[in-house]
Amino acid sequence: MTSTVPAPVTRTAEGSALQAVLLDMDGTLVDTEGFWWDVEVEVFAGLGHTLDGSWRHVVVGGPMTRSAGFLIEATGADITLAELSVLLNQGFEDRIGRHLPLMPGAARLLAELAEYEIPTALVSASHRRIIDRVLTTLGPQHFALTVAGDEVARTKPHPDPYLFAAAGLGADPARCAVVEDTATGIAAAEAAGCHVVAVPSVAPIAPAARRTVVTSLEEVDLAFLRGLMTEMR
């Protein structure tokens, strides 16, 4: 599966300014943020290093180049970024192969967006190989477009992934609702001009302009997302 841009989707729901919904993956739709940290701890233990628990907030939600690079520098581990990326991806794939829990409300939200034919994209900092594995659980039919972190020149916290997704769906970023769980992803979505629904997974996130904070995806449905756009008028 690739992130090939499909023909633009211009249909919007009657009476709604919502044009598309763009969803993060790890920690937002699937309960995997803890998986990444567990794998990082295991890999570095094998290299003879113990990770400081406070570093988890630094690496959460970030692209692998940033998180892995930080951990190499912080520990002084004798390993290259490329070598570490391979080990982390392999460890993560092993874990999701054994168990991949969805976040509460995720399946219901995806089903509702599909039922009402809302253009939807999966936008993740994870690599394509990881996204394709997770899609077997999420259901690739729920997404008109998927964007992986290793397929854009600049991934989150830069706006590029969300701008790419909005363009691929033929949507105005200002009329896209983004659902994210980390500060890194939120920064990317807000820089792209999208309205953000934050569902914090590891670190607290404060409300802000064009940002609504909820405690669970169970609070988010199509009416809720349409309401965000109505408030902007």
Side-chain angles (χ1 to χ4, degrees):
M1 182 176 297
T2 68
S3 60
T4 302
V5 178
V9 180
T10 57
R11 179 178 62 255
T12 59
E14 183 177 354
S16 171
L18 178 67
Q19 293 182 351
V21 176
L22 315 178
L23 300 161
D24 174 52
M25 187 177 76
D26 292 302
T28 299
L29 293 176
V30 288
D31 192 7
T32 52
E33 287 293 7
F35 284 16
W36 281 113
W37 178 248
D38 290 344
V39 169
E40 288 160 349
V41 168
E42 290 178 2
V43 168
F44 276 89
L47 297 172
H49 298 275
T50 300
L51 300 189
D52 189 316
S54 65
W55 296 342
R56 182 176 181 181
H57 297 293
V58 179
V59 301
V60 67
M64 186 169 293
T65 52
R66 189 200 73 185
S67 57
F70 168 83
L71 293 174
I72 291 173
E73 182 176 355
T75 61
D78 183 19
I79 190 171
T80 68
L81 181 60
E83 291 169 339
L84 179 57
S85 296
V86 170
L87 293 177
L88 293 177
N89 275 319
Q90 287 177 341
F92 187 78
E93 283 190 75
D94 289 343
R95 283 183 176 267
I96 63 176
R98 297 193 298 268
H99 180 52
L100 182 57
L102 298 185
M103 297 298 287
R108 187 263 314 147
L109 177 59
L110 290 175
E112 184 179 18
L113 295 175
E115 178 182 358
Y116 288 92
E117 299 183 334
I118 304 300
T120 302
L122 184 67
V123 184
S124 176
S126 290
H127 290 186
R128 168 58 54 187
R129 60 186 283 189
I130 299 297
I131 288 180
D132 286 348
R133 288 289 301 272
V134 174
L135 278 173
T136 61
T137 296
L138 289 176
Q141 72 277 8
H142 289 119
F143 306 99
L145 174 68
T146 63
V147 182
D150 57 341
E151 295 173 339
V152 289
R154 301 186 306 170
T155 188
K156 305 172 186 179
H158 298 286
D160 305 38
Y162 282 113
L163 292 174
F164 182 89
L169 297 178
D172 177 356
R175 295 300 178 184
C176 292
V178 169
V179 185
E180 273 278 3
D181 72 305
T182 67
T184 300
I186 289 168
E190 290 179 342
C194 304
H195 193 117
V196 177
V197 178
V199 192
S201 63
V202 175
I205 295 170
R210 299 179 63 84
R211 182 195 308 166
T212 303
V213 180
V214 298
T215 59
S216 168
L217 279 184
E218 293 182 315
E219 300 175 44
V220 181
D221 57 16
L222 183 52
F224 177 91
L225 296 174
R226 285 175 172 167
L228 298 178
M229 300 298 117
T230 301
E231 293 171 4
M232 292 167 49
R233 293 179 177 178

